[in-house]
Amino acid sequence: MNLAITAAQFSFAFRQQWRQERAKSDFRERIAHNPDMLSDQLEIEGLLQELHEITELLVEEVTDLSAELSAGAKGAACFAPMVMSIKEQSASLNGGFSSFVYEALAESMFRARGEGSKQKV
């Protein structure tokens, strides 16, 4: 059962990461044709990287703290689902921001600059 859950989580995480990388690639490809937006691209990608790093640090701190609290405690098993949930929510948050930035915000930036929609079908 644990193997099936782990495989499902890996599959979901892989699909989410693949979608983000694909959106990032499309975003970079579109930016390449508009050098005026290069600084915007670099700033956005830097901020997204910082968000990812900060949420990873937070998850690590919560994991460490829950491990310390559960050491020797009778209710130690109650922390594992909480930590798993926090990790999943963190991944979802990062994925949501990335999707928004690389898809919705990028499209709005291009429309504002008069390029219109160039979404691949």
Side-chain angles (χ1 to χ4, degrees), residues 32-97:
H33 301 296
N34 191 337
D36 296 336
M37 295 177 70
L38 181 60
S39 64
D40 293 337
Q41 173 210 355
L42 296 174
E43 181 179 5
I44 287 169
E45 288 187 7
L47 291 171
L48 283 173
Q49 183 62 37
E50 283 181 43
L51 173 67
H52 179 72
E53 290 169 1
I54 288 169
T55 55
E56 287 292 319
L57 287 173
L58 179 59
V59 168
E60 286 177 24
E61 286 295 320
V62 168
T63 302
D64 291 346
L65 181 60
S66 67
E68 288 176 23
L69 292 174
S70 65
K74 292 180 182 178
C78 72
F79 285 111
M82 178 191 69
V83 171
M84 180 72 87
S85 177
I86 290 171
K87 287 179 180 180
E88 290 171 1
Q89 294 300 322
S90 173
S92 180
L93 175 69
N94 280 323
F97 271 116

Side-chain angles (χ1 to χ4, degrees), residues 26-34 107 110 116 118-119:
D26 290 346
F27 182 71
R28 286 179 176 171
E29 184 178 308
R30 291 175 71 184
I31 292 287
H33 301 296
N34 191 337
E107 185 64 26
F110 284 104
K118 292 185 181 177
Q119 291 287 330

